[in-house]
Amino acid sequence: MHVSFSRGTAALVASAALAALSACAKAKPNTAASPATDPRNNLKAGLFDAGEYTSNLKVVSKAVSPEGFLGQTNSDLAFTGNYVIQGNYNGPVVWDISNPSAPKLVVAYECPASQNDVSVYKNLMFMSAEAMNGRIDCKPGGVRETVSKDRMRGVRIFDITNIREPKLVANVQTCRGSHTHTVLEDPKDKQNVYIYVSGSSGIRPGGELAECANTASSDANSARLRIEIIKVPLANPAQAAVVGRANIFAGLNAPSTHGASAADKADIAAIKAKGAFMIMVPSMEQEIEVPAQFVKPVLDSITKARGATVANAADSAAARPLVDANVKKLLTANGMMNPPTKGGAIHETSQCHDITVYPSLGLAGGACEGHGLLLDISNPVAPVRLDAVADSNFAYWHSATFNNDGTKILFSDEWGGGGAPKCRPLDKPEWGANAIFEIVNKKMVFKSYYKIPTFQTANENCVAHNGSLIPIPGRDVMVQSWYQGGISVFDWTDAANPKEIASFDRGPVDGTRMQMGGSWSVYWYNGSIVSSEIARGMDVAELVPSQYISQNEIDAAKTVKWDYLNAQGQPKIVWPPSFSLAKAFTDQLERKGCSASTVSALRSQISAAEKANGADRNTALAKAVTDAEGARSCDGAKVDMLKKSLQDLRALAM
């Protein structure tokens, strides 16, 4: 996520997201026949009493953020054992979900910063810090000095051997802070883990971090166009340090922009008509409303100087040039006073937002503002770009997800920085969506877009955000957050025709104005769908059987168990042998339209095998393997999956 402009100074940096685009695909997303009639439209507003709509999901619990953390922004999630670690701008919050229907608060650890995105590795927890208020001692109050050794902008490392008492063991400072980070487990190196750091703010002054050179990217020592790589020695995490800065952007051209949508233009016109303070942000090529926190102090001062308490038109006129100068000074400091480069080299301020690694395949997907990158990470300290794609329909390449066999990759577009409504009727469905690519000979080939098939109101921040695969065997199924667009489960097995199959949505936090809320991220973990709700807390849901997903497929997914999970560090999904796995493949053959008699015979044989033991089970499974061949003409690949699942069960029966 990039905090919206309306939430403060960090937003100005974040808003550069809107400048990152390029040209490629033209196919429209495959959405419902009529988003205008979707039942999620126009749900009742409210913080804890909003209207709700669920489709093929069951929400089993809604945990409310604890005191001191409720009202602060909830961010990303990581999982370890029976625990969910939820990032929050006031510090990490740990929940016990041993019983998903009744999450229990374990600890809320005060450590203010942003975004406080979290990840784990065994007994270690990592947390991003980027904003100027982060302190090395985790104390509140921030750092007032412009340059200070007390400021923390980078990755914190905690020992969570006792998860109820996290212990801060290291602060690894980085040149642009850490907006997000990714933990990389190198299969060839069991002594260390590596962290890829994505920092989206300005480069720190040398007086605060001497090694941060704000020089041209062609300079070998430059901090521009670099991702920073931290090496964490597992035997002594306190010795973690930056060991490399990789330029994975070299040679890329600046992407194109698509500008404002019809809905945005109408909103801007309405705001200007009311006399709002406006500012043109050159890097965005867009005029936006100046946040109240920049306007109010100046206007109050002018009003007070003439002995009044209520501003008049003259006060407003006097304040405008002062506010304009103040905001332009901040824009200049963050490199946002220059318009995006047209057709030349990539802008020197470009960075990655999220990098998703798939260690078992030696690949990573870099969602890098104006581009989607495919990386070779076989050498973790020297990632190599294999391919890059860009799309004029994309405003901000935000996150990436591989399918399980690594033949496809999906990128999300966080158009509007996560703080704006981008699912309105006049917003193009190609904008703020996902782009799905097949990976062919280490190159990405565009196939389609996916966006939730509903319209959301102008009071709901809504755009594609974080999600993960659901381990349904033989299919590519994903659950994804859309902020106040809720969560969506969709099937992208057919990369050219993604289809929504389940959803959960609430009405807006506030029905009278845009107020931040919704699902920041949602992931599948050991049978549960867990969503970090920005304004409210944490939701836990589960799939229910439908025409799109059978109970056997759900049961097979639940056989996949992880000890810990970071969604940006994709593990290879491996299904243990089970009868639910074989039944799931049989259900998929039926859904494909295979012969009813063949499917019925298979089910009977598998059922007989499940009831039998020893040699009788082995015999029944052998017969099922033979019977499966009867469906080969319908779907040979699925038959091979079914046969393997039956043969694995035979091996257990022998």
Side-chain angles (χ1 to χ4, degrees), residues 46-66:
L47 183 58
F48 293 113
D49 60 347
E52 297 181 356
Y53 176 79
T54 58
S55 170
N56 302 328
L57 285 177
K58 178 183 178 183
V59 179
V60 299
S61 61
K62 301 169 187 173
V64 177
S65 296

Side-chain angles (χ1 to χ4, degrees), residues 17 19-24 225 248-256 341 344-347 350-355 365-375 385 387-392 394-400 409 411-413 437 444:
L21 300 146
S22 173
C24 119
L225 295 183
I248 55 176
F249 302 91
L252 291 178
N253 289 326
S256 304
T341 307
I346 191 171
H347 198 280
S350 297
Q351 253 291 345
C352 287
H353 184 278
D354 265 10
I355 300 173
C368 300
E369 296 186 346
H371 296 83
L373 308 183
L374 183 65
L375 307 173
R385 190 177 80 237
D387 195 21
V389 290
D391 185 345
S392 60
F394 258 45
Y396 193 82
W397 298 71
H398 177 276
S399 51
I409 188 169
F411 291 99
S412 66
D413 172 18
F437 297 82
M444 294 178 285

Side-chain angles (χ1 to χ4, degrees), residues 619-644:
T619 300
L621 287 168
K623 178 66 164 57
V625 170
T626 302
D627 289 350
E629 279 297 321
R632 180 162 296 280
S633 61
C634 174
D635 190 333
K638 195 70 66 180
V639 166
D640 289 339
M641 295 177 193
L642 172 58
K643 288 176 66 175
K644 184 179 186 307

Side-chain angles (χ1 to χ4, degrees), residues 270-294:
I271 292 169
K272 291 177 73 172
K274 294 178 181 178
F277 284 61
M278 307 296 291
I279 187 78
M280 172 59 72
V281 183
S283 65
M284 298 165 58
E285 295 185 312
Q286 186 172 326
E287 192 174 20
I288 60 176
E289 183 180 4
V290 177
Q293 58 263 43
F294 293 97

Side-chain angles (χ1 to χ4, degrees), residues 54-58 501-503 542-548:
T54 58
S55 170
N56 302 328
L57 285 177
K58 178 183 178 183
I501 54 181
S503 66
E542 62 182 27
L543 286 171
V544 297
S546 68
Q547 61 179 313
Y548 306 109

Side-chain angles (χ1 to χ4, degrees), residues 324-654:
D324 190 70
N326 289 341
V327 175
K328 284 181 177 177
K329 184 183 297 184
L330 189 58
L331 291 171
T332 300
N334 286 285
M336 297 180 69
M337 281 304 292
N338 296 320
T341 307
K342 303 292 186 181
I346 191 171
H347 198 280
E348 289 273 294
T349 62
S350 297
Q351 253 291 345
C352 287
H353 184 278
D354 265 10
I355 300 173
T356 295
V357 295
Y358 201 152
S360 66
L361 298 181
L363 294 175
C368 300
E369 296 186 346
H371 296 83
L373 308 183
L374 183 65
L375 307 173
D376 179 337
I377 55 168
S378 52
N379 180 352
V381 298
V384 175
R385 190 177 80 237
L386 299 172
D387 195 21
V389 290
D391 185 345
S392 60
N393 287 320
F394 258 45
Y396 193 82
W397 298 71
H398 177 276
S399 51
T401 304
F402 291 93
N403 70 334
N404 194 49
D405 63 9
T407 59
K408 303 171 196 165
I409 188 169
L410 176 151
F411 291 99
S412 66
D413 172 18
E414 196 191 30
W415 172 38
K422 298 299 184 182
C423 302
R424 301 158 295 183
L426 293 179
D427 291 324
K428 289 187 176 182
E430 299 92 341
W431 297 0
N434 298 323
I436 300 170
F437 297 82
E438 288 185 349
I439 300 174
V440 181
N441 297 324
K442 298 184 179 179
K443 299 295 182 182
M444 294 178 285
V445 180
F446 174 80
K447 302 303 292 186
S448 69
Y449 297 110
Y450 172 77
K451 191 171 185 178
I452 51 172
T454 176
F455 292 146
Q456 300 286 295
T457 70
N459 295 324
E460 294 171 280
N461 52 307
C462 177
V463 73
H465 212 228
N466 295 346
S468 73
L469 296 181
I470 297 177
I472 294 176
R475 299 170 64 184
D476 300 326
V477 176
M478 181 171 171
V479 61
Q480 185 180 11
S481 67
W482 294 79
Y483 291 113
Q484 288 197 77
I487 65 176
S488 177
V489 178
F490 60 98
D491 186 323
W492 51 300
T493 309
D494 179 352
N497 294 288
K499 302 280 188 182
E500 183 175 72
I501 54 181
S503 66
F504 167 58
D505 187 21
R506 289 182 172 93
V509 171
D510 189 320
T512 64
R513 61 189 178 96
M514 219 306 296
Q515 184 170 330
M516 282 291 292
S519 179
W520 175 295
S521 55
V522 59
Y523 306 124
W524 170 282
Y525 180 69
N526 294 350
S528 294
I529 291 173
V530 185
S531 170
S532 179
E533 218 295 336
I534 292 171
R536 299 172 173 99
M538 181 182 72
D539 300 320
V540 184
E542 62 182 27
L543 286 171
V544 297
S546 68
Q547 61 179 313
Y548 306 109
I549 302 177
S550 70
Q551 186 63 58
N552 291 320
E553 289 174 301
I554 295 170
D555 292 343
K558 289 182 177 180
T559 66
V560 177
K561 300 292 184 183
W562 290 305
D563 294 329
Y564 57 92
L565 176 68
N566 304 307
Q568 289 75 32
Q570 276 191 239
K572 180 78 172 179
I573 300 172
V574 178
W575 291 265
S578 70
F579 279 97
S580 61
L581 182 61
K583 292 176 183 177
F585 290 136
T586 306
D587 292 346
Q588 291 169 14
L589 287 170
E590 180 182 47
R591 194 179 294 121
K592 185 70 179 286
C594 296
S595 163
S597 59
T598 300
V599 171
S600 179
L602 273 170
R603 285 192 173 129
S604 295
Q605 201 61 43
I606 293 170
S607 178
E610 188 173 17
K611 294 173 183 175
N613 292 296
D616 291 340
R617 172 172 285 187
N618 188 47
T619 300
L621 287 168
K623 178 66 164 57
V625 170
T626 302
D627 289 350
E629 279 297 321
R632 180 162 296 280
S633 61
C634 174
D635 190 333
K638 195 70 66 180
V639 166
D640 289 339
M641 295 177 193
L642 172 58
K643 288 176 66 175
K644 184 179 186 307
S645 70
L646 295 168
Q647 289 162 347
D648 289 344
L649 286 169
R650 283 191 71 195
L652 294 178
M654 291 179 179

